[in-house]
Amino acid sequence: MSKRKVKETHMPVGECISQVQMILRERFCHQRLPEKPVGMESQHKHLLELLRRTAVHGESNSVLIVGPRGSGKTMLLNCVLRELLEVKDVNKNVLPVHLNGLLQTDDRIALKEITRQLNLENVVGDKVFGSFAENLAFLLEALKKGDRSSSRPVLFILDEFDLFAHHKNQTLLYNLLDVSQSAQAPVAVIGLTCRLDVLELLEKRVKSRFSHRQIHLLSSLSFIQYLDNVRSQLSLPQDFPDTNFYDEWNDGIKVRHFSSYPQLVDVLQRHYNSSKDFRSLHLLLMLALSRVSASKPAIKPTDLLEASRVCMVDSKANILHGLSILELCLIIAMKHLNDIYEGEPFNFQMVHNEFKKFLQRKSHSIHNFDKPVVIKAFEHLQQLELIKSMDSSTAKIQKEYQLMKLLLDHSQIMEALQKYPQCPTDVKQWAMSAFG
Amino acid sequence: MVRYFTRLRMRRIYKWVSTYVEGQEAVTTVTPGQYILIEGNDDEYPFVAKLLKFFGDESHKQKKALVQWFLRLSEVPQNKKLLLGRSPHPQEIFYYLGRACDNEINAESILGTVQHVPEDTPFPEPGTKDTLYVKLSWDTKAFNVLDPVLMQDTPASTPPKPALPLFPPCASPTATPVSRGPVRRALPTPDPTVMRRAGSVSDTRATMSAGKRSTLEAESIHSASKLSASKILSAKRRGSAADTPGVRKKLQLSPGKKMTRADVLCELLDEEMESEKVISLKLSSSVSHSLQHGCSLSPMRSGCKTPNGQRRFPWKLSSISLDRLSPTALGEQDLSSDLLLAVIPLALEDEVFEAGLPTDAGSANTPKKRQATPRRNYVREQKATTPSRRKESAMAIRKPALGVLAEEDSEDSPMQPIALTPRSKRKSAQLVSLRIRKQLNLLDNTQKLISDGDDDCFVPSKKDLQSSSDSEEETMVRKTRGRNGKASARTPCKTPSKKVCMVTPSTPRHATPSIPSRTVPARQPGNILEEARARLHVSSVPESLPCREQEFQDIYNFVESKVMDGTGGCMYISGVPGTGKTATIHEVIRCLQHASDMDEIPTFRFIEINGMKMTDPHQAYVQILQKLTDQKVTADHAAALLEKRFSNPAPKKETTVLLVDELDLLWTRKQNVMYNLFDWPTRRHARLVVLTIANTMDLPERIMINRVASRLGLTRMSFQPYSFKQLQQIITSRLNKVKAFEEDALQLVSRKVAALSGDARRCLDICRRATEICEHSTSHPSSAGLVRMNHVMEALDEMFSSSYITAIRCASLQEQLFLRAVIAEFRRLGLEEATFQQVFVQHRALSRVEGLQPISVSEGLAVCQRLGACRLLLLEASRLDMLQRVRLNVSQDDVLYALKAVRD
């Protein structure tokens, strides 16, 4: 620290802030890999060993990395790959092929992509020549010609592995795994998936060829560790240019500051209870970070509270705030219908009748709308997907008689009514009353 | 290339044809030591050989002769011609050192004698077309300078005479009268030293007049009764006589159209389907006939006098002669049979085998057992080797560079492959391939160099090809190649230019599939555990396949018998994955290939397709055809070509063994792919053995329609899952004395796997994982000891334990709460399904009980979706929002167990 103080530099606050924004945003948007994957040391070691053996010894392997969304599968793999490529012998000796089940939606595309990334001889520029069958034969021939000791290992990285299992006959998986189990060019097939039952998707022949190695990424983070994570995610790296700002910032996010704010701990606990993964945490921190500016050069607990409020907000209740009184009345009518008929579907005519009954009773507070206007409002609700048609074939039935269901919970409606600006009291009372 | 191998079969044919001639004007007699022309499939180029001795076979029905063969350049495989390194003289022949040809021939097939001129001088001017010269010897692999000792070592030395340009050889088949050789009653003992010994010849092609007339008269020990089939077939002969007008019609057209003989013969065969009849003719003609010099023969000779046109004219003329004679043949059986004897049989060698008639001297006398007398085996051996060379050369044509290099390699030790055991052979093959790869660059250069000198030297041979091909198969191939514009691919002078194309990136059409090679070689295993891991990898080829001995024997016997008999058949093999089906078949094929290398069985061709490795069932045709003939065509065209290939007789066909892996993937609605695959082996000329593999035992009954299942037949085999003892044996045999495992640990693994699936792959994978765990459990990788029980247990846990329970335990609080809400709602409803809305009500109540702040619907949906993504819950499409139905993907007990453990 003393050394640091010697070459102390000062930067304007604005510049510091923009630096902070840049560094932290890169972190939160997964554009920079962390130094070391947290909480998955054994998995990291296992995977690194496995890939190292493929790269160095030419041993073919297959492995699945399984974990819920946001648990850091891709991050782990990228860390391992980064580490692997730092090894001198390996650097020029492996051919990574990245595939994603969401992009390569069938084997034809996947094969072209593999061929392109391997840059085999039927690739010119970015174009892959030949038909599907030719490409497959070509790739298989190429892999068959290789052998353990002399050809470069190919690392097939299949993101969203489960989607590849839906390809016709699982041709691609069969062939990749078959290569990994036979004396051909050394390959490592690495699948990333969030599905725990992924092996059941594999056809029995494909399954038999898979080595059944699974690396599970299941975080058993305690709340204390979670808080540590929050802090470490927010803290600045050591090589931050302005040391004063660095010290201030990092002091500001010390854990004890958090604990002195019971509200903040509550909010974080709630987040922790909801999900432990990094992605939702990053979302929260990102919102808090965006409230930092030159005039407010530190993250305050209030920022986090506000961000959490934004995160936790119920989207449907928000939509309800933007409805007109008429539409709100229709929603209330539907709620009553739901109560009466115990969740059975309704149609426009029923809702309209219910609404008219209300109007007859309280005609002084609400305008008497024409039927076409009411239909319009009803359609608007449908467009907002607050109600949903139950029939698949909409063309046959007149829209007044189409059966609908309400996609709102009662609690959402009541909450929205409480917050609705200048809601007529009659309408509120109608909503609260037991029946119509 | 194909013609090269016809010699053997031709010989067999003529064994049955007695060409003993009475009332001959010009009788040629031959004595041992003379150089003779032997009737081949090519009129212009009778085979050249040196007669070593005569003998009779055991029953004295046949007269045989031991010869030393000489090859014409056209008989040398196309790709090997490059090895000559200079432009060959058109009349040059080579002393044949190979052993693949039967050097025992039937005396009847001798056409005449020629004389011997040792040629030390440079080649004479091309004007003297009818002289043959020997300078080099050919041992099927390389040209060598001829050892003068071989040339001198001629027991019955004929004084050197200048070459006599006499009658062109084209006149020989019909015109040459043959006298029977002297008969030795002693049993023949094929002595290799005798067989090898012979002189190099420069033969004149003269047949009758140039030969020394021997005073030895042949004893006729022919008996008409020897051919049991002849009577049966005599009826057919009449039929064939009636058919001849059709033949004639064809033949009349032929000279004008400049068709090759092969074409004509093919058409003859196609249209008339006369093959059997012709054989019958041949057979029936085994009693002595008088062969006459018909008037037709004179134009032939005259036609051949022009040296340039010589190569093509003769056969045209001979066809004319046939044409002229055939009307008379209608009436006179003797004459017609003589004629056919001379011309037609060329294309029909196979027929004799197919008909199951005793075709060679050995089999005529021995009962039809597989392991009959050694004599018969010997003959089989010979038969076996011929196609192998053809295969080799075919392969070499496909990959000229590799072929040539392989030769260069084998030049050092030509006898090596025969002496080696199968295992070491594999190693040597690897060695060779390694060397090939190393020298690839070097080779490219030499190829180009050679090609410069080549352009002119193949002109004669090309012409030769046109005129003398006689196999249906070959013409078919050529036709198709022509259509693909690949006809030129056969002549090596073109191949280099093709190779040049390969290099340029602009033509991905010729791209070579390959993975770039690594800069640093792969590291070898360092310690015992690494060694064990390498051995336990599924991909490592074990020394032997333990625990599948019975299956191995059954498949081996099946394929071997089919290959031996030259017939076809289907076999269906079923078994769950990882029970060694494909491995066993590969082992069988390896052994059979070894056996055929050792000349124990005829050579065969092994082709493998895999239903999973193709994009569409119809691609099977494309792949089969590509592996058979190396042509790329569309699926429909390939189907047509294969159909033709397997249904038409082709003389030099070798048995094809086709392995169809993952058969069920070849299912189509009309099942025509499967139908064809199983129908082809039943064809008479197919010689196709189909081995099919699938997982389910009752696949034929389940998915095949009756006509397909019926063709598949009942030759079935099922591979049982391995028992724990077998699994243990597999691991131990793979480890092969590498002491890395505790005995108990192995037993635990094998018992566990046997109880679950009996999948050997799984077993090996677990063992491999156990070695890793063992290695990591100690701080020093070098100090790691044996793999013990605890390591194996850990590996088993990793592989077999369900991750659901851990996943539930690691889930967030809200997720766990949601699962409990789901179960609570299920209990309330009494159903295993509920909508999100219903569950959410429960969830809210539960969180109130737990003292948690209730979450909003949006959050609840997010929790639900997360659980759905892991497949702890099964969800409907999310657009249904709150109405989507929720089901558990784990048993309720598991969930409760996991959640209870969390709370404690």
Side-chain angles (χ1 to χ4, degrees):
Chain A
M1 221 42 181
S2 57
K3 215 177 181 182
R4 188 168 263 285
K5 286 216 165 123
V6 173
K7 46 172 184 176
E8 206 169 274
T9 48
H10 282 287
M11 278 160 47
V13 179
E15 213 166 297
C16 285
I17 292 294
S18 66
Q19 280 281 332
V20 168
Q21 299 264 18
M22 204 185 71
I23 290 168
L24 294 186
R25 274 182 189 153
E26 262 181 0
R27 192 181 288 164
F28 298 155
C29 296
H30 316 282
Q31 287 179 339
R32 172 165 298 174
L33 288 174
E35 298 294 312
K36 199 87 181 146
V38 197
M40 43 183 79
E41 283 74 25
S42 67
Q43 288 96 333
H44 178 258
K45 193 179 167 195
H46 185 179
L47 187 63
L48 182 64
E49 265 305 302
L50 196 79
L51 295 188
R52 202 182 53 74
R53 277 205 307 277
T54 303
V56 177
H57 293 280
E59 177 185 308
S60 293
N61 273 314
S62 48
V63 67
L64 273 180
I65 304 173
V66 187
R69 293 212 182 279
S71 58
K73 302 179 291 290
T74 314
M75 188 266 293
L76 171 68
L77 179 65
N78 286 337
C79 281
V80 167
L81 281 181
R82 183 184 62 187
E83 215 163 312
L84 191 70
L85 291 177
E86 279 166 9
V87 181
K88 190 165 69 62
D89 286 0
V90 174
N91 194 7
K92 290 274 186 297
N93 272 336
V94 289
L95 298 164
V97 174
H98 292 266
L99 300 177
N100 191 320
L102 291 169
L103 299 176
Q104 282 79 39
T105 48
D106 66 16
D107 283 347
R108 178 196 310 269
I109 305 169
L111 272 173
K112 289 218 166 187
E113 183 63 19
I114 292 172
T115 320
R116 196 185 63 74
Q117 291 192 21
L118 284 178
N119 205 8
L120 296 179
E121 284 192 29
N122 56 348
V123 178
V124 173
D126 246 3
K127 283 240 167 77
V128 180
F129 284 83
S131 67
F132 181 26
E134 282 167 6
N135 284 341
L136 179 65
F138 194 88
L139 179 69
L140 290 179
E141 189 60 29
L143 289 171
K144 204 172 178 181
K145 273 195 183 165
D147 75 338
R148 178 182 172 143
S149 54
S150 65
S151 39
R152 282 203 220 180
V154 187
L155 307 180
F156 289 101
I157 295 150
L158 308 180
D159 218 338
E160 309 293 344
F161 182 83
D162 47 315
L163 295 180
F164 286 97
H166 293 128
H167 294 181
K168 191 192 162 208
N169 288 344
Q170 303 188 347
T171 309
L172 182 76
L173 290 185
Y174 178 92
N175 285 309
L176 291 184
L177 293 174
D178 194 50
V179 170
S180 83
Q181 296 258 318
S182 50
Q184 303 181 8
V187 298
V189 183
I190 306 148
L192 304 176
T193 181
C194 61
R195 285 185 66 163
L196 294 168
D197 64 342
V198 65
L199 283 186
E200 288 156 42
L201 296 176
L202 297 181
E203 210 243 2
K204 57 183 182 300
R205 288 168 279 209
V206 183
K207 195 175 173 182
S208 166
R209 281 166 176 78
F210 172 59
S211 72
H212 283 78
R213 279 163 201 273
Q214 294 187 63
I215 297 176
H216 287 283
L217 289 182
L218 300 165
S219 71
S220 46
L221 222 56
S222 69
F223 182 57
I224 306 297
Q225 288 167 319
Y226 186 79
L227 284 184
D228 274 348
N229 261 337
V230 174
R231 198 183 57 80
S232 68
Q233 288 293 321
L234 278 177
S235 60
L236 289 175
Q238 286 227 326
D239 54 352
F240 191 75
D242 191 327
T243 42
N244 272 348
F245 190 85
Y246 168 85
D247 291 340
E248 275 171 34
W249 178 274
N250 279 4
D251 278 348
I253 53 167
K254 284 273 166 61
V255 182
R256 56 185 165 80
H257 286 255
F258 288 169
S259 42
S260 64
Y261 244 97
Q263 250 186 311
L264 181 61
V265 175
D266 268 2
V267 164
L268 288 177
Q269 174 87 52
R270 219 179 140 186
H271 269 275
Y272 169 77
N273 284 348
S274 169
S275 74
K276 298 188 216 172
D277 66 43
F278 279 85
R279 216 167 266 171
S280 60
L281 175 64
H282 283 154
L283 191 67
L284 177 76
L285 298 182
M286 187 72 146
L287 289 171
L289 178 69
S290 60
R291 299 173 67 84
V292 174
S293 64
S295 55
K296 216 159 72 71
I299 286 194
K300 296 268 163 24
T302 43
D303 295 333
L304 280 168
L305 287 182
E306 184 58 29
S308 143
R309 199 187 54 75
V310 174
C311 275
M312 296 278 190
V313 82
D314 191 341
S315 53
K316 281 229 178 109
N318 267 357
I319 295 177
L320 286 179
H321 294 163
L323 293 183
S324 66
I325 293 291
L326 171 61
E327 285 157 352
L328 205 59
C329 288
L330 289 181
I331 294 277
I332 292 166
M334 288 170 201
K335 171 187 170 277
H336 285 307
L337 283 173
N338 263 350
D339 286 342
I340 296 163
Y341 299 109
E342 290 176 332
E344 288 299 303
F346 49 82
N347 60 26
F348 169 75
Q349 212 56 50
M350 294 159 80
V351 176
H352 195 222
N353 284 341
E354 200 72 15
F355 180 55
K356 275 197 287 190
K357 274 198 273 175
F358 167 67
L359 281 187
Q360 277 162 12
R361 277 184 282 134
K362 313 273 180 187
S363 55
H364 56 276
S365 60
I366 303 259
H367 291 290
N368 199 356
F369 294 103
D370 291 336
K371 194 179 174 186
V373 179
V374 183
I375 288 183
K376 200 75 190 163
F378 191 80
E379 279 174 356
H380 186 226
L381 289 178
Q382 197 178 348
Q383 277 164 3
L384 288 171
E385 291 207 324
L386 292 174
I387 53 174
K388 190 168 173 57
S389 164
M390 297 307 290
D391 310 305
S392 50
S393 55
T394 47
K396 284 172 190 167
I397 311 167
Q398 274 185 300
K399 50 190 166 193
E400 290 94 327
Y401 302 102
Q402 270 177 22
L403 288 178
M404 296 288 182
K405 268 201 163 183
L406 184 63
L407 294 183
L408 285 168
D409 198 52
H410 286 190
S411 60
Q412 286 172 304
I413 300 169
M414 300 318 289
E415 191 194 330
L417 276 175
Q418 295 306 322
K419 290 181 185 168
Y420 194 87
Q422 288 131 29
C423 182
T425 338
D426 285 347
V427 175
K428 268 188 191 171
Q429 278 173 353
W430 179 41
M432 302 235 242
S433 67
F435 291 104
Chain B
M1 147 188 106
V2 183
R3 250 176 305 114
Y4 182 40
F5 304 102
T6 59
R7 167 175 295 166
L8 183 75
R9 287 187 182 146
M10 288 310 303
R11 235 173 289 132
R12 297 246 167 77
I13 297 302
Y14 285 102
K15 274 172 195 161
W16 290 103
V17 183
S18 158
T19 46
Y20 178 66
V21 180
E22 287 177 343
Q24 204 69 68
E25 297 172 29
V27 175
T28 310
T29 48
V30 286
T31 50
Q34 269 188 317
Y35 298 95
I36 51 172
L37 293 175
I38 293 161
E39 207 168 307
N41 46 354
D42 193 345
D43 287 354
E44 312 157 46
Y45 299 116
F47 295 127
V48 183
K50 182 186 169 193
L51 188 59
L52 295 181
K53 66 174 181 180
F54 281 110
F55 58 87
D57 64 357
E58 301 95 271
S59 61
H60 314 301
K61 287 173 185 168
Q62 289 266 313
K63 260 151 299 294
K64 312 209 127 212
L66 216 56
V67 294
Q68 165 61 47
W69 291 106
F70 289 89
L71 289 189
R72 292 170 191 281
L73 185 70
S74 54
E75 289 171 271
V76 176
Q78 194 78 337
N79 60 316
K80 311 268 171 157
K81 289 176 183 175
L82 281 176
L83 291 176
L84 191 54
R86 61 176 162 85
S87 104
H89 191 273
Q91 300 299 108
E92 190 172 0
I93 56 172
F94 305 100
Y95 183 83
Y96 181 64
L97 276 176
R99 306 197 308 166
C101 253
D102 196 353
N103 40 12
E104 209 180 288
I105 62 155
N106 232 45
E108 284 82 22
S109 59
I110 297 174
L111 296 175
T113 57
V114 286
Q115 290 211 323
H116 157 185
V117 177
E119 185 69 53
D120 297 328
T121 52
F123 291 117
E125 289 308 298
T128 59
K129 277 282 181 187
D130 297 322
T131 319
L132 300 174
Y133 308 95
V134 179
K135 286 204 148 185
L136 300 172
S137 66
W138 169 250
D139 62 354
T140 72
K141 300 219 162 59
F143 292 101
N144 298 313
V145 176
L146 192 62
D147 188 3
V149 180
L150 287 175
M151 276 167 40
Q152 303 308 324
D153 190 16
T154 49
S157 56
T158 42
K161 285 181 195 170
L164 295 177
L166 271 166
F167 294 115
C170 51
S172 48
T174 39
T176 23
V178 176
S179 80
R180 329 260 338 260
V183 179
R184 290 204 196 150
R185 307 219 170 203
L187 275 174
T189 47
D191 181 4
T193 56
V194 177
M195 290 196 278
R196 296 248 186 92
R197 190 166 31 121
S200 74
V201 218
S202 147
D203 297 306
T204 58
R205 293 237 203 128
T207 49
M208 305 169 282
S209 47
K212 251 209 228 161
R213 284 180 202 181
S214 160
T215 48
L216 287 168
E217 279 299 314
E219 286 178 25
S220 168
I221 28 171
H222 270 289
S223 62
S225 61
K226 123 182 115 176
L227 297 174
S228 54
S230 64
K231 275 179 196 165
I232 306 162
L233 293 171
S234 62
K236 287 182 182 175
R237 183 171 63 185
R238 254 167 264 133
S240 88
D243 280 337
T244 32
V247 183
R248 184 176 126 216
K249 218 167 146 191
K250 273 286 162 214
L251 287 173
Q252 276 169 341
L253 293 173
S254 54
K257 282 164 80 180
K258 283 201 171 181
M259 288 167 90
T260 64
R261 168 188 305 173
D263 289 339
V264 175
L265 284 174
C266 292
E267 282 175 33
L268 275 177
L269 292 172
D270 284 345
E271 291 196 12
E272 311 290 331
M273 276 299 149
E274 258 194 327
S275 45
E276 297 160 56
K277 295 157 194 166
V278 172
I279 294 166
S280 77
L281 282 175
K282 285 191 287 169
L283 292 173
S284 60
S285 64
S286 60
V287 202
S288 49
H289 302 287
S290 68
L291 186 67
Q292 297 184 354
H293 293 272
C295 52
S296 60
L297 293 176
S298 44
M300 233 164 156
R301 282 181 208 151
S302 63
C304 294
K305 272 168 193 167
T306 54
N308 288 335
Q310 184 185 347
R311 281 163 193 273
R312 210 166 308 165
F313 277 0
W315 96 259
K316 274 191 232 155
L317 289 167
S318 71
S319 71
I320 292 167
S321 76
L322 175 66
D323 178 21
R324 278 214 209 150
L325 286 175
S326 48
T328 48
L330 276 170
E332 299 169 31
Q333 285 185 354
D334 277 358
L335 193 55
S336 71
S337 58
D338 281 346
L339 256 164
L340 286 163
L341 163 79
V343 184
I344 306 256
L346 300 174
L348 301 170
E349 310 92 326
D350 254 4
E351 293 299 321
V352 183
F353 295 120
E354 299 277 353
L357 291 172
T359 52
D360 50 64
S363 60
N365 301 311
T366 51
K368 273 233 147 200
K369 274 189 227 158
R370 202 172 297 152
Q371 311 276 340
T373 64
R375 171 69 181 284
R376 188 187 153 94
N377 278 344
Y378 170 70
V379 172
R380 277 202 180 282
E381 253 171 51
Q382 305 296 349
K383 206 185 350 173
T385 44
T386 20
S388 90
R389 257 191 293 151
R390 172 179 149 206
K391 197 168 103 187
E392 176 191 313
S393 61
M395 197 184 72
I397 280 190
R398 239 179 287 136
K399 295 196 116 288
L402 289 181
V404 172
L405 193 85
E407 257 158 47
E408 285 173 359
D409 259 336
S410 56
E411 230 174 331
D412 312 334
S413 53
M415 298 300 284
Q416 189 185 10
I418 300 156
L420 291 171
T421 62
R423 176 73 187 152
S424 57
K425 196 165 159 50
R426 234 176 283 150
K427 275 178 191 158
S428 74
Q430 285 167 2
L431 225 132
V432 167
S433 69
L434 206 90
R435 247 181 277 168
I436 289 172
R437 220 171 293 121
K438 277 183 198 165
Q439 297 184 9
L440 259 176
N441 292 333
L442 194 138
L443 198 89
D444 273 357
N445 300 337
T446 52
Q447 274 274 320
K448 275 168 203 161
L449 281 177
I450 291 170
S451 69
D452 292 337
D454 266 352
D455 287 9
D456 50 346
C457 64
F458 284 100
V459 181
S461 68
K462 235 195 261 176
K463 214 199 258 175
D464 187 12
L465 267 175
Q466 279 178 358
S467 63
S468 61
S469 81
D470 56 3
S471 81
E472 162 109 22
E473 181 195 336
E474 194 188 19
T475 46
M476 190 189 83
V477 169
R478 187 180 304 153
K479 271 184 213 159
T480 51
R481 288 209 170 167
R483 228 170 287 151
N484 294 335
K486 277 176 77 182
S488 55
R490 305 177 114 240
T491 54
C493 54
K494 290 260 181 179
T495 352
S497 65
K498 203 177 144 200
K499 250 193 122 51
V500 171
C501 297
M502 278 178 204
V503 185
T504 61
S506 58
T507 52
R509 182 181 270 273
H510 301 301
T512 45
S514 66
I515 296 286
S517 57
R518 52 195 294 160
T519 50
V520 184
R523 204 180 293 165
Q524 291 306 307
N527 55 34
I528 283 189
L529 285 176
E530 281 179 4
E531 173 72 28
R533 204 152 47 224
R535 282 169 181 274
L536 286 174
H537 199 281
V538 185
S539 70
S540 72
V541 184
E543 281 85 356
S544 64
L545 276 181
C547 314
R548 288 292 179 222
E549 287 84 7
Q550 186 55 47
E551 285 85 354
F552 175 88
Q553 202 54 48
D554 289 351
I555 300 172
Y556 188 92
N557 288 346
F558 177 81
V559 180
E560 189 195 31
S561 66
K562 300 289 179 201
V563 172
M564 288 256 217
D565 301 345
T567 53
C570 295
M571 187 177 207
Y572 176 72
I573 297 162
S574 64
V576 292
T579 48
K581 303 178 292 296
T582 315
T584 305
I585 289 183
H586 279 144
E587 190 69 18
V588 165
I589 297 297
R590 264 201 293 274
C591 286
L592 283 171
Q593 233 133 26
H594 175 65
S596 83
D597 285 345
M598 300 290 283
D599 292 349
E600 281 156 14
I601 57 163
T603 47
F604 62 94
R605 191 132 185 212
F606 177 60
I607 291 178
E608 185 181 4
I609 59 170
N610 188 326
M612 274 289 203
K613 292 186 179 173
M614 54 189 70
T615 51
D616 177 82
H618 293 97
Q619 286 292 321
Y621 298 129
V622 180
Q623 293 199 0
I624 295 172
L625 190 74
Q626 191 179 358
K627 283 169 183 168
L628 271 176
T629 63
D630 204 26
Q631 15 176 351
K632 272 187 184 169
V633 292
T634 61
D636 288 344
H637 190 196
L641 287 178
L642 284 173
E643 176 77 25
K644 200 173 164 195
R645 184 189 173 95
F646 288 125
S647 51
N648 289 339
K652 289 147 219 91
K653 204 178 263 181
E654 56 191 347
T655 305
T656 309
V657 180
L658 174 66
L659 168 60
V660 184
D661 217 338
E662 318 293 2
L663 176 71
D664 48 334
L665 270 285
L666 294 183
W667 188 89
T668 52
R669 191 198 296 271
K670 289 169 95 180
Q671 307 197 357
N672 42 3
V673 178
M674 283 197 206
Y675 178 87
N676 279 333
L677 281 179
F678 302 143
D679 193 40
W680 288 333
T682 64
R683 307 275 171 84
R684 211 175 132 208
H685 308 290
R687 310 191 74 176
L688 177 68
V689 183
V690 178
L691 304 171
T692 56
I693 298 183
N695 290 130
T696 39
M697 202 193 277
D698 57 345
L699 186 83
E701 285 73 31
R702 274 198 308 143
I703 68 166
M704 292 185 199
I705 48 178
N706 286 337
R707 60 195 161 100
V708 177
S710 142
R711 274 167 178 77
L712 174 58
L714 292 167
T715 320
R716 295 191 194 170
M717 175 179 291
S718 105
F719 278 60
Q720 297 304 317
Y722 288 113
S723 72
F724 87 90
K725 278 199 174 139
Q726 289 174 320
L727 287 174
Q728 207 172 342
Q729 200 185 334
I730 288 170
I731 304 172
T732 1
S733 83
R734 279 207 178 224
L735 283 174
N736 193 20
K737 300 204 186 78
V738 172
K739 186 71 185 153
F741 278 82
E742 269 183 358
E743 206 52 40
D744 289 349
L746 279 190
Q747 187 162 348
L748 177 68
V749 174
S750 35
R751 274 187 192 274
K752 187 88 180 178
V753 174
L756 279 164
S757 59
D759 187 335
R761 287 195 192 107
R762 182 78 75 94
C763 194
L764 294 172
D765 281 332
I766 291 172
C767 289
R768 223 149 51 87
R769 178 69 188 131
T771 60
E772 285 169 25
I773 292 171
C774 176
E775 198 170 339
H776 294 155
S777 64
T778 53
S779 50
H780 259 289
S782 52
S783 68
L786 289 183
V787 179
R788 289 176 205 289
M789 273 302 234
N790 53 343
H791 304 132
V792 170
M793 291 286 272
E794 201 181 327
L796 283 171
D797 268 358
E798 240 176 58
M799 299 238 179
F800 285 114
S801 73
S802 156
S803 50
Y804 284 112
I805 289 176
T806 357
I808 293 173
R809 282 182 190 165
C810 292
S812 71
L813 197 58
Q814 293 291 352
E815 286 163 359
Q816 290 173 351
L817 208 59
F818 194 85
L819 285 173
R820 279 168 64 195
V822 169
I823 290 180
E825 184 64 19
F826 285 177
R827 294 228 169 117
R828 190 183 72 86
L829 291 171
L831 289 170
E832 289 285 291
E833 191 177 87
T835 64
F836 170 78
Q837 203 167 11
Q838 290 168 321
V839 176
F840 190 67
V841 173
Q842 291 281 347
H843 183 261
R844 199 175 287 164
L846 274 174
S847 49
R848 232 174 274 134
V849 172
E850 294 285 322
L852 294 169
Q853 234 179 334
I855 55 170
S856 67
V857 180
S858 292
E859 277 176 282
L861 267 173
V863 166
C864 181
Q865 291 296 340
R866 274 203 295 274
L867 290 172
C870 307
R871 286 300 189 278
L872 285 168
L873 292 180
L874 296 175
L875 302 176
E876 274 189 311
S878 59
R879 65 187 160 78
L880 290 172
D881 205 59
M882 294 180 65
L883 303 175
Q884 62 184 319
R885 274 171 297 198
V886 176
R887 270 187 296 164
L888 271 179
N889 197 25
V890 210
S891 79
Q892 293 192 14
D893 293 339
D894 281 356
V895 178
L896 290 177
Y897 169 75
L899 293 177
K900 194 175 143 213
V902 169
R903 293 174 141 201
D904 291 345

